[in-house]
Amino acid sequence: MDWANVTPGELMDALREVDWNMRPRPVTEFFAKFTPPKTQSKLTSRLKCNIYYYRANYFCFLIFSFVVAFFRNPYALFATAISCFSLLCTNDSFAQTLSERVTKAVRRTYPPAAAWMRRSAAGTSQAPSRPYGRTKVVHICGFQRMYVVAGLLALSGLLLWRTRAVYTVGGALGVFFAGTLLHAGLRSPNLKARLSSYREEFRAVWR
């Protein structure tokens, strides 16, 4: 797959729709081989390829950055955990799995509420804005995902403001983005990332 032809928007949509129920790549593979890219186009392709292939590793790095920054401030750590959870909710597979599991748990204690969740969770599809793209209206526990994510982010922002940890969050995010871009730009693309199975996984998002 020619990652140079993949636009940032397509990459973000693929990360949103691909299944995240996978283990991070082994540490020995994650830090296996580093070489500087020879051209600007190769750097761009390498960034896109590695961000998609090592997505679980980078998310673990994000959590690690927050834990290190807030290990002395448990309330701020809880707020950042809510932010990370809201980020996971933007993934279609995670949101649908979460909604299904919560609905099953609610059904054991109060079946009418679970029935309402299931009726509201019947997501609809909108007209695609590009040939292979599609937009889903995903529901989490009966509510549209956009409102759930917005509520979680608002709660997280309020807690961070109350704990006066906004600048610490900025520092942790700065370390995360810098480390991710540095690794993705210098890590030589893994051979497995070039195989047809991973190309088909990426293309399956647009079917």
Side-chain angles (χ1 to χ4, degrees):
M1 184 176 194
D2 188 3
W3 287 93
N5 295 329
V6 177
T7 65
E10 290 173 342
L11 178 61
M12 293 301 297
D13 287 343
L15 291 173
R16 177 175 58 84
E17 297 184 13
V18 75
D19 187 4
W20 279 63
N21 295 327
M22 58 174 291
R23 293 182 178 180
R25 307 295 175 184
V27 177
T28 54
E29 176 187 337
F30 189 62
F31 295 104
K33 184 179 179 181
F34 294 91
T35 56
K38 297 181 180 180
T39 62
Q40 181 69 29
S41 60
K42 288 186 177 180
L43 173 62
T44 304
S45 299
R46 184 180 294 186
L47 286 172
K48 297 173 185 176
C49 177
N50 286 333
I51 288 175
Y52 184 81
Y53 185 72
Y54 293 111
R55 57 186 180 271
N57 297 76
Y58 293 141
F59 187 78
C60 291
F61 178 47
L62 174 63
I63 296 176
F64 176 76
S65 300
F66 284 138
V67 170
V68 172
F70 295 113
F71 74 100
R72 292 185 178 179
N73 191 340
Y75 296 104
L77 183 60
F78 176 71
T80 55
I82 295 177
S83 298
C84 292
F85 181 75
S86 65
L87 179 63
L88 284 175
C89 288
T90 61
N91 177 259
D92 292 351
S93 177
F94 180 87
Q96 292 169 352
T97 302
L98 172 67
S99 180
E100 185 66 22
R101 291 182 178 179
V102 172
T103 302
K104 288 182 179 179
V106 172
R107 186 174 58 185
R108 299 191 188 99
T109 57
Y110 191 60
W116 176 82
M117 291 180 183
R118 289 190 179 278
R119 287 196 302 269
S120 301
T124 57
S125 298
Q126 298 176 348
S129 58
R130 54 184 180 280
Y132 299 101
R134 61 184 182 275
T135 303
K136 294 181 180 179
V137 179
V138 180
H139 290 73
I140 300 178
C141 302
F143 300 94
Q144 286 194 24
R145 175 174 56 184
M146 60 180 297
Y147 299 122
V148 175
V149 173
L152 290 173
L153 289 177
L155 176 61
S156 175
L158 177 62
L159 291 176
L160 289 175
W161 178 74
R162 295 281 296 182
T163 55
R164 301 178 180 179
V166 177
Y167 293 107
T168 308
V169 170
L173 289 176
V175 171
F176 164 71
F177 285 117
T180 299
L181 292 176
L182 185 63
H183 178 275
L186 295 179
R187 174 65 169 88
S188 298
N190 191 287
L191 179 60
K192 294 180 181 179
R194 302 173 182 174
L195 297 179
S196 59
S197 60
Y198 290 95
R199 293 200 301 266
E200 291 301 322
E201 177 187 338
F202 184 87
R203 290 171 179 171
V205 174
W206 310 106
R207 292 174 183 172

